[in-house]
Amino acid sequence: MEYNLNIKQLRVAKELDNQYDFVVEVDWEYIATESNASCARYGTASFSQPGDSFIPFDDLTEDIVKSWVISSVDIAGLEASLSEQINDILNPKVSVVPFPWNN
């Protein structure tokens, strides 16, 4: 199974605790893919105050922001849920079949 985290949007406070352009929310998408099946979960990670390791907005990279999301989400639980959903897609427990009287 392949998993990919995509950053969809950043929301920024112009000033927060004397820090400028502080990221307060990150919208993300986590996609699981196997064979011809895929599914995704969407979420928002929120941040309310700058820490000692504040990084200026212009110095942010995608990997830095992804690390924030990963540290704020239960990735193991998310992957287990997505894996179960993919398994249900690839091995459905219920299917639509033709009426038996149309033979």
Side-chain angles (χ1 to χ4, degrees):
M1 183 125 3
E2 182 179 327
Y3 299 99
N4 289 302
L5 173 62
N6 298 313
I7 303 302
K8 303 304 278 182
Q9 184 170 305
L10 301 176
R11 289 186 190 83
V12 175
K14 286 298 172 192
E15 181 182 358
L16 182 67
D17 293 340
N18 295 319
Q19 300 292 346
Y20 296 91
D21 297 329
F22 178 79
V23 176
V24 293
E25 290 184 341
V26 177
D27 292 340
W28 54 266
E29 169 188 49
Y30 203 76
I31 301 170
T33 306
E34 184 174 313
S35 301
N36 292 328
S38 67
C39 58
R41 293 284 191 285
Y42 301 87
T44 299
S46 298
F47 308 98
S48 60
Q49 60 187 17
D52 294 333
S53 60
F54 175 78
I55 301 169
F57 186 82
D58 290 339
D59 294 340
L60 292 176
T61 65
E62 184 177 13
D63 287 339
I64 290 170
V65 176
K66 283 181 176 183
S67 74
W68 296 348
V69 171
I70 289 169
S71 68
S72 70
V73 174
D74 175 11
I75 294 295
L78 181 60
E79 288 181 353
S81 174
L82 289 170
S83 177
E84 184 177 328
Q85 188 173 352
I86 289 284
N87 187 51
D88 288 345
I89 292 169
L90 295 174
N91 305 295
K93 295 175 183 140
V94 177
S95 61
V96 176
V97 297
F99 298 123
W101 55 86
N102 286 345
N103 289 333

